[in-house]
Amino acid sequence: MPKMTLPPRSAQRQEDTWDIASVFPNIAAWETEYQSVQAELPAFQKFHGKLNGPTILAEVLDASFQVIVRVQKLSMYAELLTSVDASDEKAAALISRAATLDGQVGAALAFIKPELLANGAEKLALWTSSDSRLAAYTHYVEDLLRLQAHVRSPEVEELLGALNDPFATTYGVVGSLTGAEMRFQPATSSTGEEYPVAQSTTVPLWSSTDRETRRTAWENYHDGYLAFKRTLAHNLEGQIKQYVFLARAHGYRSALEARLAVDNIPVEVYHNVIETFRRNLPTWHRYWALRRRILGYQTLHTYDLYSPLTTKLPALPYTQAVDWIAEGLQPLGDEYVQILRRGSLHERWVDIYPNQGKRLGAFSSGCPGTHPFIFMSYDDSLKGMSTLAHELGHSMHSYLTWQTQPLVYSKYSMFVAETASNFHQAMVRAHLLRTHPERDFQIGLLDEAMNNFHRYYFIMPLLARLELEMYERVERGEALTADVLNALFAEFLAEGYGSEVEVDAARDGITWATFGHLYANFYVFQYTTGIAAANTLARSILASQPQAVERYLAFLRTGNARYPLDVLQQAGVDLSTPEPIEATFAVLADYVERLEQLTSTPE
């Protein structure tokens, strides 16, 4: 592979970076808005004890969601800055200050829910049905009434709201440690060349055709985490204890119940993911055996799971990737595709390429009034195209929600968040499998698909299993040590890999620490449900089922105006049962069978 050199952030072309100036032109403007929000918080005092009518209730709710979105914008700007340059101390300070302001806002608004609920269900139903301004909050009020037993007094809610600031510290610690302070030994190729190992270089290094480069990059990256394993475990344990504390403070039986109750999701949905995944492990075992045969290895190691199954793929420039993504999503209509292309190519939604200090991974971020920004490190590959398609799914979901819904419903549930992203990948993959019959391209495309499923339909459900175990241990009063977490995850991986993959207990075991997702409680299982929903909805559109496109676009525009299970069911998928997860394992099995056929015949 070519010598990898990461340019400094300052060397990136402006057109290849996101338009962060559209959020705030500079830090001085951010500071002005920060001070403005802070100065307006005392004004909420005038509402205390007076939420006894529809007019004043609508007024305070409008004002509260406006200030919440303003704080989201402040936080997002700071996160965007640090994501592309983790060494930016000024940006890190902005994140800390935004968290402080978020806590102040939480405390200032804490009286609203208990005072609103004190009016009683009968009055609230009358007000929302008779007052045009309050009618927009009908679902919001009904949802509060559903959770009324878990709302504490105004004084207690104010105190719990103020905890947002100190409780944000653990996430800040792991971000600083892994993004800015952790150092990794360089990878070394079989011919002695060295390549820098950093958060933004791991994917191309692990995907190298040179096994020694893969091995040393993978081992050195995980060794970097092992060097801080106790700090990382202790920090994560602190985060988990915070969520357990908040669940108990609100009267829930468990942290899992507390998290899922927010979205009106039965805990059985979570258990369905783990149980259905374990039932279908033979499909994964079949794939690991196939991969070992294709690569020609006697023993398959974890660092071999990213090795390309074909090297005969052309470079895929960013603009070509956008074209293919747009073609794959054409069934959704011209308007949808035009918005996507404009954001990708002209409005600078995407921060495209890697640079020094840029973090690992990809995400879509934004809030009403901003672009839905995309963070990634594009590398001219099918994987890069797939990642871009994924994040554009999030961004289009956000864009259409913000265009349609009032602020109260503008932040859709995390349970549906991974549906649109994986839907994009499923649609683009189906388009390319249909239009590019070349053997190596098909192998490369299926290889990328299996790598994607490996992360989200293998690693994520394993992390979900680990997460449940961690929370249950903390709830029983047991300690979480690095050795306990490493041993548990190595055990889960050994079951998942079966006899086909050699597990390095220490380095594989520390994998949990490389996923900041665990700091968002019970989030990772939603990748599995998201992929299942996405593939179900994509199949309905690809089969030209009546109204399938209209139902899908309606889903994107609904935001949080309905419960996630209900809005998905309306779109055409029922995640209250294991069936969509089982059906998506059938898709996975089909990919494995295609690969078996492609690689069992001569070129």
Side-chain angles (χ1 to χ4, degrees):
M1 62 187 295
K3 190 72 174 177
M4 296 178 62
T5 56
L6 290 175
R9 179 65 181 175
S10 59
Q12 296 282 31
R13 299 189 311 165
Q14 185 183 66
E15 57 265 37
D16 294 332
T17 64
W18 47 28
D19 185 15
I20 193 171
S22 66
V23 184
F24 293 107
N26 48 48
I27 291 180
W30 184 95
E31 183 66 40
T32 298
E33 173 67 354
Y34 184 97
Q35 297 295 338
S36 176
V37 171
Q38 202 167 45
E40 291 177 21
L41 294 184
F44 283 96
Q45 290 290 331
K46 68 182 181 183
F47 295 108
H48 278 252
K50 298 178 181 178
L51 302 187
N52 52 11
T55 301
I56 194 167
L57 188 53
E59 183 180 351
V60 74
L61 287 174
D62 284 351
S64 67
F65 282 102
Q66 287 166 9
V67 79
I68 286 170
V69 169
R70 291 171 70 186
V71 175
Q72 288 175 0
K73 188 176 179 182
L74 289 163
S75 298
M76 181 201 70
Y77 180 83
E79 286 286 352
L80 296 187
L81 285 177
T82 58
S83 295
V84 296
D85 186 358
S87 64
D88 189 336
E89 289 294 329
K90 290 182 179 178
L94 298 188
I95 288 180
S96 177
R97 293 181 62 208
T100 298
L101 183 60
D102 185 57
Q104 293 170 348
V105 169
L109 305 182
F111 73 96
I112 295 175
K113 290 181 181 179
E115 281 199 25
L116 180 154
L117 291 169
N119 290 294
E122 189 175 342
K123 275 187 181 179
L124 290 170
L126 176 64
W127 294 346
T128 54
S129 63
S130 60
D131 186 279
S132 59
R133 189 174 168 190
L134 196 59
Y137 293 97
T138 299
H139 176 68
Y140 172 78
V141 170
E142 290 173 350
D143 193 41
L144 288 181
L145 289 167
R146 178 180 65 87
L147 298 172
Q148 185 170 9
H150 302 286
V151 177
R152 303 294 300 274
S153 68
E155 295 78 16
V156 172
E157 289 293 343
E158 181 177 359
L159 177 62
L160 294 175
L163 288 174
N164 288 343
D165 179 17
F167 277 12
T169 302
T170 48
Y171 184 69
V173 167
V174 75
S176 296
L177 177 60
T178 61
E181 297 181 349
M182 195 176 283
R183 296 290 182 268
F184 309 97
Q185 292 298 310
T188 306
S189 74
S190 57
T191 56
E193 294 177 289
E194 289 191 347
Y195 305 108
V197 176
Q199 298 290 5
S200 58
T201 66
T202 55
V203 171
L205 287 171
W206 296 348
S207 304
S208 171
T209 56
D210 181 70
R211 199 180 195 191
E212 186 65 9
T213 299
R214 295 199 307 272
R215 182 187 70 80
T216 55
W218 186 84
E219 290 182 352
N220 292 347
Y221 181 73
H222 288 81
D223 285 348
Y225 280 85
L226 282 169
F228 293 94
K229 65 178 184 178
R230 292 176 182 83
T231 300
L232 291 163
H234 189 61
N235 196 59
L236 181 58
E237 181 185 40
Q239 182 76 63
I240 291 170
K241 286 182 175 180
Q242 292 168 17
Y243 285 124
V244 169
F245 166 78
L246 291 172
R248 288 172 175 169
H250 285 110
Y252 289 99
R253 288 170 293 184
S254 69
L256 176 63
E257 181 188 52
R259 176 63 190 88
L260 298 189
V262 173
D263 293 322
N264 199 24
I265 296 171
V267 295
E268 289 75 20
V269 173
Y270 192 96
H271 294 294
N272 282 343
V273 167
I274 296 173
E275 292 163 7
T276 308
F277 168 76
R278 295 185 74 185
R279 280 199 305 272
N280 285 276
L281 281 177
T283 297
W284 280 113
H285 296 163
R286 177 183 171 190
Y287 172 63
W288 308 135
L290 172 64
R291 171 168 274 274
R292 183 172 60 81
R293 177 181 66 77
I294 295 172
L295 294 175
Y297 296 146
Q298 183 174 356
T299 302
L300 199 66
H301 294 273
T302 308
Y303 52 79
D304 295 318
L305 302 183
Y306 310 93
S307 174
L309 296 182
T310 179
T311 58
K312 299 177 182 178
L313 292 172
L316 178 55
Y318 176 80
T319 53
Q320 179 65 72
V322 173
D323 288 344
W324 281 356
I325 292 167
E327 291 169 10
L329 294 165
Q330 190 59 49
L332 297 184
D334 290 339
E335 181 183 5
Y336 187 96
V337 169
Q338 287 167 8
I339 294 168
L340 180 149
R341 289 182 64 85
R342 189 169 65 243
S344 303
L345 300 174
H346 305 295
E347 294 181 347
R348 292 172 54 206
W349 290 7
V350 189
D351 201 85
I352 303 173
Y353 298 112
N355 58 250
Q356 293 176 22
K358 194 169 188 179
R359 291 179 179 171
L360 176 68
F363 62 76
S364 173
S365 178
C367 62
T370 76
H371 295 313
F373 291 104
I374 291 173
F375 169 91
M376 67 177 305
S377 293
Y378 190 76
D379 62 354
D380 289 358
S381 69
L382 281 172
K383 177 175 176 54
M385 181 208 64
S386 182
T387 300
L388 177 61
H390 181 102
E391 299 307 332
L392 280 168
H394 286 307
S395 291
M396 291 301 295
H397 192 178
S398 297
Y399 181 93
L400 292 176
T401 293
W402 299 339
Q403 293 289 315
T404 309
Q405 295 297 332
L407 295 181
V408 61
Y409 306 127
S410 64
K411 191 175 183 180
Y412 48 79
S413 162
M414 297 307 293
F415 186 78
V416 301
E418 296 303 332
T419 299
S421 54
N422 285 284
F423 172 88
H424 266 208
Q425 289 171 292
M427 292 291 291
V428 174
R429 189 179 300 129
H431 166 71
L432 294 176
L433 284 170
R434 186 176 65 253
T435 57
H436 289 74
E438 304 88 1
R439 178 179 181 272
D440 280 297
F441 189 90
Q442 294 265 316
I443 291 173
L445 192 62
L446 291 168
D447 186 19
E448 188 286 320
M450 294 306 298
N451 282 336
N452 187 70
F453 270 78
H454 172 224
R455 180 177 174 87
Y456 298 117
Y457 227 61
F458 182 82
I459 296 295
M460 291 299 183
L462 286 178
L463 287 171
R465 186 180 174 192
L466 177 72
E467 188 171 21
L468 182 63
E469 181 73 26
M470 290 191 298
Y471 275 86
E472 288 179 345
R473 288 186 181 218
V474 168
E475 287 166 343
R476 292 194 301 263
E478 300 175 19
L480 294 181
T481 65
D483 289 341
V484 165
L485 295 180
N486 288 8
L488 277 172
F489 203 63
E491 175 189 335
F492 296 165
L493 282 169
E495 179 184 345
Y497 288 137
S499 60
E500 294 296 334
V501 181
E502 183 82 13
V503 172
D504 182 331
R507 295 187 177 103
D508 278 313
I510 197 65
T511 299
W512 60 267
T514 68
F515 284 86
H517 306 67
L518 293 175
Y519 285 80
N521 57 331
F522 300 106
Y523 174 50
V524 293
F525 89 102
Q526 295 167 119
Y527 282 99
T528 305
T529 55
I531 287 181
N535 279 270
T536 301
L537 297 174
R539 286 196 302 275
S540 68
I541 290 174
L542 292 168
S544 301
Q545 292 182 8
Q547 300 299 306
V549 170
E550 291 77 7
R551 288 197 304 268
Y552 180 73
L553 293 175
F555 155 70
L556 295 183
R557 293 188 173 103
T558 300
N560 205 28
R562 298 180 64 194
Y563 294 123
L565 284 180
D566 294 342
V567 72
L568 283 170
Q569 194 163 32
Q570 178 87 15
V573 57
D574 185 2
L575 279 173
S576 66
T577 75
E579 194 280 330
I581 303 173
E582 292 279 6
T584 303
F585 265 106
V587 173
L588 188 69
D590 176 64
Y591 289 164
V592 176
E593 185 173 343
R594 286 176 182 241
L595 272 174
E596 287 173 338
Q597 293 172 354
L598 286 164
T599 57
S600 63
T601 56
E603 297 186 41

